[in-house]
Every structure is written in C-alpha cells, then in structure tokens.
Amino acid sequence: MRVIGINIVEPSNAETALVTNPGMYQLDIILKKGHNLAIRDRGGTSDPYVKFKIGGKEVFRSKTINKNLNPVWDEKVSLLVDSLREPLYVKVFDYDFGLQDDFMGSAYLYLESLEHQRNLDVTLDLEDPQYPDHDLGTLDLAVTLSPKEGDFREATMLLRRSWKRSNKVIHGMLPLIPTTYLLYPPKTLCCPGFRWRPSPSPCPLYQFPLHHQLHSSMRLSDVHRKAQLWRGIVSISLIEARDLQPMDANGFSDPYVKFRLGHQKYKSKTIPKTLNPQWREQFDFHLYEEQGGFIDITVWDKDAGKKDDFMGRCSVDLSPLSKEHTHKLDVPLEEGEGMLVLLVTLTGAAAVSISDLSVNILDDPHERHQILQRYSVLRSFHNLKDVGMVQVKVIRAERLMAADVTGKSDPFCVVELSNDRLQTHTVYKNLNPEWNKVFTFNVKDIHSVLEVTVYDEDRDRSADFLGKVAIPLLNIQNGERKAYALKSKELTGPTKGVIFLEIDVIFNAVKAGLRTLIPIEQKYIEDEPRVSKQLLLQNFNRVRRCILFLINAGCYINSCFEWHSPQRSICAFLLFVLVVWNFELYMIPLALLLPLAWNYILVASGKDTRQDVVSDLLEDEDEDYEKDDKDPERKGFINKLYAIQDVCISVQNALDEVASYGERIKNTFNWTVPFLSWLAIVALCVATVLIYYIPLRYIVLAWGVNKFTKKLRDPYNIDNNELLDFLSRVPSDIQVVGPRPQHAPCCFTVFQSHTSGK
C-alpha cells in the first residue's frame, strides 16, 4: 500500500460509517526507515527524527539518527485511538542543537482507509505544503489496525486496586499493572499524548500474553514521558575544560556550555578570557527511560553584539553508567579542541506523581500516618535531601479568558515546583473547566514557590497563556480549598479568571533549616532578559528606597547628637554609656534579635508593615500604567529616553561617588600625595599606642561622650566626620590623571626659553 503524503483523497461516506463504532482501536506501527530524505545541514546530510500526531497531539517521537539521509529506525509503537476520523500526521525534522529544528517534510495516514487486523506495508511520500514540487524522500512503515472490546469498569478497578496495594506513589513511581493486562489509561494515567473523553459506554480491557509486555502500547516509560513523570535523576557537575580553542583576537575565549537531554536544556555561566575555564556548576536532568539516553553537550564562545562562536561538541551515553555512583568523565570535544571534565551521577526517581481525586494518598489515614512518620523529627538526619512532600489538588477554574475565535478556550493546567513539572489533560471548548487532578511533588527546598499556570491549547502552535498564580510553600494553609485569582506572566497585575486549589505540605523543619544553608537549585534555561524601562525604573526605586532607609537611620542617630529632642538625646546617651560599659560579644546577636522581636509584635498585633513596601511598588506600577493610558501621545520615544537618562545619571553619580572613595583609600596607601600618607602614618601610630595601652571600651566611651556633648559645648559648631574630611583631600584616580596633560606645555615653554636664550 502506497500513501501519497498530503494529497491523499478524503475517505468515502461508506468508510466513514465505520468510525461510528463506539469501541476503541489499537494502532501498531513499526517505523522502519527513510529513503533519500532532504538535506538540511551544511555537510550535505541531516539528523532526522520523526513525530506522530493525532488530533493535534504528539503521540510519538523517534530517536535521532545523526548524519544520515537513509536512516533506519526500526522502532515500534502501539497507540490506542478512540476515533478513526483523525488521521495520523507524520512529520520529519532535522535536529539542530541549540537552534530551531528544520522541517524535512510531512504526510498524512488516514486510519479509515486501513483494513482491520491486517499487517500493511505503507510508504509515505514526504511533502512540504509550501513547496509541493520538491522531492523530500519517503518513509517506510508497517501498520496494523485492530478493534478492541471489553469492560472498562473492570479495568479501572484493577488499576485502582493495584495503585492502592503498592506504596510506590510515595517514592515517585507508578503502581504495577497486573502482568496479563494492559489498560487504556483512565484519568489516573491521562497524558498530553492521549486524548481522554469520559463516556458512559463501557471501554475495553485489553489482554496480552506476558511476552508482549515490553512492546505494549502503554509502557510505563511512555506514560512517564507523556505525563512528565520521570524514573530517575541525572546529576551532572561541570568541573572544568582544558586546552580549548582560542576564538578571540587576544588569543583567548569566553566559553560557556550548553547541555540537552531530550527537551531539557541547561546553560552554564560564561568564564571570560580563558582557555582552561573552571565552572564548578551542577545541573539535574530528569530521566524517563530505564536504559538511559544521550546527553548532547556543546561549547560556545560568548561574543557581545554578534553570534556566538561554536567551539566543539560531545555526548555522554548514560546507558553503561551504573546508578547510585559518581563517575568522573574526561570527554574530548569533537569538531573542536580540548576536553571537558564532568562528574555524572544517576540516582532514583523523586516522589512525583499525578492521579485522580479518587486516588489520593493523603486521604487514606494509614498512608497519611506513614508520610507523617517519614518526616517526623525523629528522622531529621535520615536522607537530608528529602525535605518533605506537597500535594496539590487542581479542582477547576472559572471565568477564564476566551482565547479562540469561537469565544471558548481549550484550557489545561501546568503545575511547577522548582524543576518538577506536571500537567493536566485538556478540557476542550470550555471557560469553566474541571480537572479534578492530584499532583504529588517531592520538596527539596521549603522556600520554593509553587507555580500553577493555565494555558489554551492550540494545534501545531505554542499554547496561549491564560493566567498564573505563584504560592510560596511556607504560605500554604494545609487542607484549605481556596480560589486564587489568575495573574499575568510577571505576576504584576490580574488577568481574567480564578482557579480552585487545595494544597497540603508536609515537611521536616530540621531538614528544611539545614537545606536553607546550601545553594538554591538552578532552574532550566529561561528566556534571556530584555531591556525594560519600567523594570529599570522599578529597580532604581528599590535601591533608592534602601539607601533612603540608611540615610534616615543615620539622620535619626545624628539628631540624638544634635539634641533636637532633649528627652530622646538623654535616653540615647544613658543607653550608650550602659551598653559600652557592659558590652560583651554575645550582645551582637542579641541586638539583632531586638528588631526581629519588635516586628513580630507588630505583625501579631495587626500592624503589619510588610505590605507597605509591596503597596508602594504596586502604586508605582499603577501610576505608570495610568500615565500611559491617560496620555499615550506624550509617552513617546523621547519621553522614555529622558526617563531612562534620568535614571542613568543618578546611577552614574552614585557609582562615581562609591568609586571615588574606594580610589581615595587606595591612593592614601600608595603615596599619591606624600603629605597625606605621612599624616595617615602619624594617625595610625597614635591609634595603635592608644588601643595598646587603653582598653577599647574606654576609647569608645570617650568618643561617644565627645559626640553627645559637642553640641552642648559649642552650639554653633558645624557637625563633621573627620575620616571623610581626610579622604576628601585625597585625589581619586580621575583627579590624579586629569592635570597631567597640562604639564607638557609648561615644560615645552621652559625648553623653548632656554633654546631661544642660546
């Protein structure tokens, strides 16, 4: 049977009548090989892989065959379909690491035209809709379509009993399905690759011999990948690189490294001007397959203002590496020079799962007690990385934004905690979807923020953003079902709709405290930051607010010295004398406890000052939005340029002030002005003698008495700081360099006068 790519004739009405059968179908496909595929790389080859889609959902992705126009895959996949009306959409791409993959052709296979229970050899002619005359090669498949029958209720009960019996959910693994049964996934195993539509009609139970299990349609690894459930973690420590290729004119490079495992990506920091960089960075990848996989690694040279230079590539095969053991690898770079030094560790899976509301581990008293025992204080020093667990019930959403032209949306929900990410199924054509899903995450850092994002699904396009909420784990009230208003991507303003969640967090406080003292887990590569006038102004205001707080605190202390309020100055003087006279080192942390206790009293009494800063930030943003709305014409490019210029001038002056004082301290010690350096020597010698013979307590007490009584002794005295007055006489580097060009004309004039006299 030969099927012509996109130009297949639609099935007849007689064939369409077959799909009215409410039963399910099993579609077995063997992706054999490709012939004369399109060239997409500069070397005259391609790195092809194949995607299968049904109803706009990706249901299969093949492995990548590197540098081959006649690839042989021999990969088997079994799919369960509930309707033959949706054709199988086959697309071929050329894999490009770090770039967008190149399209190599596509074809349709109409399932209604297939004969049932017969193995058919199919050849698909690949075509490009934009260039139908181009020859893009062919794909060879073997296809078998079989109708299925059975009782779905019995299958569901078997699955749930297996789930109840096994306690694997706690350890991040799906329950074992009975060996002689393979089930079409109910909601407990619903994943983006398979569309699930509840129906009152019975659904099938599939029986397979035991020797067919490894090739069954719902292999656990497939379920894990489609539902974002992983079976292990690959931890990579990027130590260093040696003898890299120089890419810049100065004989050095600015290298950084990109990692990729499937769709997971990481990017290291950039080490400037070196051929032997040391990163000392760690990255964690999620492993979906038992047999491992390949991690693609590329090294790049950072170039400002132009495209980064490629320095080499390598790959790490995870399959031969033993688990629960750290492997040191010296990996040479291909298409470049040098090598990378890596530490690779494969560990077991984290506690991550997805299920229905009916399969809820915390609702079972016995399982809840076991989890509480697991994170009890008595087990505080057992497995320090296992801080706790969080269970999120995604109930429903209401009044969502209409993202489609029909006035509806196809919403699905993504729940993220650090680098853990799970996803619900899609509810089609609904602004008030109900998901009723339970997500379970392992907590590695109690200070993490739980992010719940709602998207609108679009076929063959990226999903549209509908709203988002961010909830710190420490702010969660256990067991409280609450409606959260959806916000924008930046969480700065509200958007349309609410989402109903119920969250439970169980953690060990001792482990959480110890984990607070280690670095935060780095997230996947995010979008590159862009220049934003609003963000620049906001950050400037934040810095200014902190500086103003310090200035106000200094002014308040100085007012005590100036006796603006005699009662306050007397109290401050007595407190100063009492503290200095009785000072001990333990009083330093004790003093830091006082503001914590004071603010706790304010919060407990209802006078919460924490919201003042947040409200100020929101008011600043609202003012910016109002100005933009009220006067859109005046907010043109020139006005924005002036606003940025004001911020830049303020930052420039502040940097100049800080740099000047740092340079003056340096110039004091390097004898830029010998007189001031000798003066500093005299002052330091006097200070050394005084501190040696007189206890520091008395010196500080004398300084304080002098500061407090100076205004009383001389009411017209101008307050000053002797140290800053001294430093103001020392020139900065700019002041040292500035007058130098003026000396040349003077010397030249003297030289001329001597020569003219002769």
Side-chain angles (χ1 to χ4, degrees):
M1 177 179 180
R2 185 176 181 86
V3 182
I4 306 299
I6 296 182
N7 299 320
I8 292 180
V9 180
E10 293 290 338
S12 64
N13 295 333
E15 292 171 331
T16 307
L18 291 173
V19 302
T20 59
N21 187 348
M24 303 296 298
Y25 298 87
Q26 177 178 333
L27 180 63
D28 297 314
I29 304 175
I30 300 177
L31 175 61
K32 294 183 177 179
K33 56 186 177 180
H35 294 284
N36 300 323
L37 299 185
I39 298 174
R40 290 293 183 263
D41 294 338
R42 290 180 295 179
T45 61
S46 296
D47 305 319
Y49 67 90
V50 181
K51 286 183 179 181
F52 292 166
K53 287 188 174 184
I54 296 180
K57 295 282 192 177
E58 181 181 328
V59 295
F60 170 76
R61 174 171 173 165
S62 74
K63 62 185 178 183
T64 301
I65 306 297
N66 295 321
K67 300 180 180 180
N68 200 326
L69 298 182
N70 298 282
V72 178
W73 285 282
D74 281 333
E75 293 189 53
K76 299 179 181 179
V77 59
S78 295
L79 307 174
L80 295 175
V81 294
D82 57 355
S83 174
L84 300 183
R85 293 178 181 174
E86 297 285 356
L88 178 70
Y89 187 26
V90 181
K91 301 176 74 174
V92 184
F93 292 91
D94 168 58
Y95 172 73
D96 287 327
F97 179 72
L99 302 173
Q100 184 176 0
D101 296 344
D102 298 322
F103 178 71
M104 298 179 63
S106 63
Y108 284 101
L109 175 63
Y110 286 96
L111 306 182
E112 298 164 311
S113 62
L114 299 178
E115 186 177 351
H116 293 181
Q117 296 181 335
R118 181 179 177 184
N119 188 12
L120 301 174
D121 291 329
V122 179
T123 299
L124 299 179
D125 287 346
L126 300 176
E127 294 188 0
D128 188 341
Q130 298 181 357
Y131 305 98
D133 298 333
H134 290 186
D135 183 11
L136 301 181
T138 60
L139 288 181
D140 288 346
L141 310 175
V143 182
T144 305
L145 181 65
S146 305
K148 295 296 179 181
E149 299 177 356
D151 187 1
F152 180 69
R153 294 192 187 97
E154 181 183 353
T156 304
M157 291 304 297
L158 284 171
L159 177 64
R160 290 184 178 175
R161 288 173 189 168
S162 175
W163 189 295
K164 294 284 187 179
R165 281 198 303 270
S166 66
N167 199 22
K168 300 296 184 180
V169 173
I170 299 177
H171 302 286
M173 298 176 62
L174 290 175
L176 297 176
I177 298 176
T179 55
T180 56
Y181 295 102
L182 181 66
L183 309 179
Y184 178 76
K187 292 184 179 179
T188 51
L189 298 179
C190 189
C191 56
F194 298 90
R195 181 180 299 180
W196 164 249
R197 292 183 180 137
S199 173
S201 60
C203 296
L205 169 70
Y206 306 114
Q207 291 191 352
F208 290 91
L210 186 59
H211 65 275
H212 284 309
Q213 276 190 327
L214 295 178
H215 304 291
S216 59
S217 63
M218 287 301 297
R219 294 176 301 172
L220 274 180
S221 60
D222 293 335
V223 176
H224 281 190
R225 186 187 302 105
K226 298 300 180 183
Q228 299 88 37
L229 306 181
W230 41 89
R231 311 194 65 177
I233 295 177
V234 183
S235 178
I236 294 185
S237 295
L238 174 61
I239 306 300
E240 62 182 359
R242 300 171 186 166
D243 303 324
L244 295 181
Q245 181 179 358
M247 306 299 293
D248 298 335
N250 57 10
F252 294 100
S253 297
D254 305 318
Y256 66 90
V257 182
K258 288 183 178 181
F259 298 87
R260 177 167 178 172
L261 177 61
H263 296 290
Q264 304 171 75
K265 299 178 183 179
Y266 272 124
K267 177 181 176 182
S268 75
K269 62 185 177 184
T270 301
I271 307 297
K273 297 180 181 179
T274 181
L275 299 180
N276 299 281
Q278 294 190 358
W279 286 280
R280 302 293 196 271
E281 291 186 80
Q282 180 176 335
F283 311 98
D284 289 336
F285 290 96
H286 296 146
L287 191 62
Y288 297 92
E289 297 285 353
E290 279 289 348
Q291 63 269 26
F294 286 88
I295 296 181
D296 296 320
I297 306 172
T298 54
V299 184
W300 300 81
D301 169 58
K302 183 71 174 179
D303 287 330
K306 59 180 181 179
K307 186 177 179 180
D308 297 344
D309 297 324
F310 175 76
M311 299 181 65
R313 72 169 71 241
C314 60
S315 62
V316 176
D317 185 5
L318 301 177
S319 56
L321 302 181
S322 59
K323 292 187 177 180
E324 309 299 336
H325 179 72
T326 300
H327 307 266
K328 182 181 178 183
L329 305 179
D330 296 333
V331 187
L333 294 178
E334 301 175 3
E335 305 177 32
E337 299 177 4
M339 67 170 56
L340 293 179
V341 180
L342 309 172
L343 296 179
V344 182
T345 307
L346 277 67
T347 59
V352 182
S353 69
I354 176 174
S355 65
D356 268 348
L357 285 178
S358 58
V359 187
N360 182 3
I361 59 174
L362 290 184
D363 286 348
D364 187 339
H366 177 68
E367 292 184 352
R368 188 181 186 95
H369 176 72
Q370 286 186 339
I371 294 175
L372 290 174
Q373 287 292 107
R374 178 180 175 183
Y375 299 112
S376 64
V377 179
L378 298 178
R379 296 175 61 85
S380 296
F381 298 98
H382 178 74
N383 191 6
L384 292 178
K385 293 185 178 181
D386 187 14
V387 174
M389 61 90 67
V390 57
Q391 177 179 275
V392 185
K393 295 181 182 178
V394 181
I395 312 298
R396 67 182 188 277
E398 294 181 356
R399 303 187 300 276
L400 294 180
M401 185 188 310
D404 298 336
V405 294
T406 59
K408 299 289 185 180
S409 293
D410 303 322
F412 65 93
C413 189
V414 175
V415 185
E416 296 177 86
L417 184 67
S418 298
N419 284 323
D420 300 340
R421 183 180 187 273
L422 296 178
Q423 176 179 320
T424 69
H425 61 285
T426 302
V427 179
Y428 294 95
K429 295 179 172 50
N430 201 325
L431 299 180
N432 301 284
E434 292 190 11
W435 292 289
N436 293 320
K437 290 293 180 185
V438 179
F439 300 90
T440 306
F441 294 95
N442 176 264
V443 176
K444 292 173 280 187
D445 188 349
I446 196 59
H447 307 283
S448 300
V449 177
L450 181 72
E451 296 182 355
V452 182
T453 311
V454 183
Y455 294 96
D456 169 67
E457 178 187 309
D458 283 331
R459 292 189 178 184
D460 295 328
R461 289 192 303 166
S462 59
D464 296 327
F465 176 84
L466 297 180
K468 177 181 180 180
V469 294
I471 311 164
L473 295 184
L474 290 174
N475 293 353
I476 292 173
Q477 298 293 329
N478 283 352
E480 179 184 7
R481 182 168 296 189
K482 187 176 179 181
Y484 294 89
L486 296 175
K487 296 184 178 181
S488 60
K489 281 186 179 181
E490 296 78 16
L491 300 172
T492 55
T495 185
K496 190 175 181 181
V498 295
I499 187 169
F500 290 84
L501 306 173
E502 182 179 330
I503 311 174
D504 288 273
V505 179
I506 299 175
F507 68 97
N508 183 289
V510 177
K511 293 182 182 180
L514 294 176
R515 293 283 292 176
T516 304
L517 305 179
I518 67 174
I520 299 176
E521 180 184 9
Q522 184 180 0
K523 292 199 71 173
Y524 292 145
I525 295 178
E526 298 178 350
D527 295 336
E528 293 289 337
R530 294 179 296 178
V531 177
S532 170
K533 166 236 175 186
Q534 181 182 351
L535 185 59
L536 181 62
L537 292 174
Q538 184 186 55
N539 292 338
F540 175 74
N541 290 332
R542 291 165 58 195
V543 174
R544 184 177 63 180
R545 192 178 291 108
C546 296
I547 295 175
L548 289 178
F549 172 78
L550 297 177
I551 293 175
N552 292 334
C555 292
Y556 182 83
I557 296 174
N558 190 63
S559 66
C560 296
F561 295 145
E562 297 291 330
W563 294 82
H564 292 165
S565 173
Q567 296 86 353
R568 186 174 61 195
S569 297
I570 292 173
C571 293
F573 177 71
L574 295 177
L575 180 63
F576 173 79
V577 173
L578 183 65
V579 171
V580 173
W581 187 257
N582 299 284
F583 177 78
E584 299 293 342
L585 283 177
Y586 71 84
M587 293 183 180
I588 295 177
L590 181 62
L592 297 177
L593 288 175
L594 295 178
L596 289 171
W598 174 253
N599 285 303
Y600 178 79
I601 294 173
L602 291 179
V603 172
S605 61
K607 300 178 181 178
D608 191 357
T609 59
R610 296 174 297 176
Q611 301 299 327
D612 295 341
V613 176
V614 178
S615 60
D616 291 342
L617 289 174
L618 295 177
E619 287 177 3
D620 293 341
E621 292 176 0
D622 292 340
E623 289 177 2
D624 292 337
Y625 286 129
E626 289 175 2
K627 290 178 182 178
D628 291 343
D629 293 338
K630 290 181 180 178
D631 199 0
E633 296 181 357
R634 295 179 58 189
K635 274 292 181 182
F637 175 76
I638 299 299
N639 290 342
K640 293 181 180 179
L641 188 62
Y642 285 150
I644 295 177
Q645 181 179 352
D646 293 340
V647 174
C648 292
I649 291 175
S650 301
V651 173
Q652 171 183 296
N653 294 336
L655 294 177
D656 176 65
E657 195 74 16
V658 173
S660 295
Y661 276 108
E663 292 167 354
R664 284 168 177 163
I665 294 173
K666 179 198 69 174
N667 292 336
T668 301
F669 290 92
N670 65 7
W671 295 83
T672 300
V673 180
F675 177 79
L676 294 175
S677 298
W678 280 114
L679 188 60
I681 289 176
V682 173
L684 292 175
C685 290
V686 172
T688 303
V689 173
L690 290 177
I691 294 175
Y692 182 80
Y693 288 103
I694 302 175
L696 182 62
R697 189 189 312 272
Y698 297 132
I699 296 176
V700 175
L701 194 61
W703 173 84
V705 171
N706 176 64
K707 292 291 290 185
F708 273 103
T709 59
K710 183 183 292 186
K711 197 68 175 180
L712 298 178
R713 291 183 278 111
D714 186 3
Y716 302 104
N717 180 54
I718 299 176
D719 187 41
N720 69 311
N721 186 299
E722 291 80 4
L723 180 61
L724 295 182
D725 292 339
F726 172 83
L727 290 177
S728 65
R729 268 69 172 187
V730 182
S732 64
D733 288 352
I734 298 297
Q735 293 171 332
V736 171
V737 174
R740 286 186 177 178
Q742 299 177 1
H743 295 297
C746 299
C747 297
F748 184 71
T749 304
V750 174
F751 177 76
Q752 275 189 329
S753 63
H754 281 287
T755 54
S756 61
K758 289 183 181 180

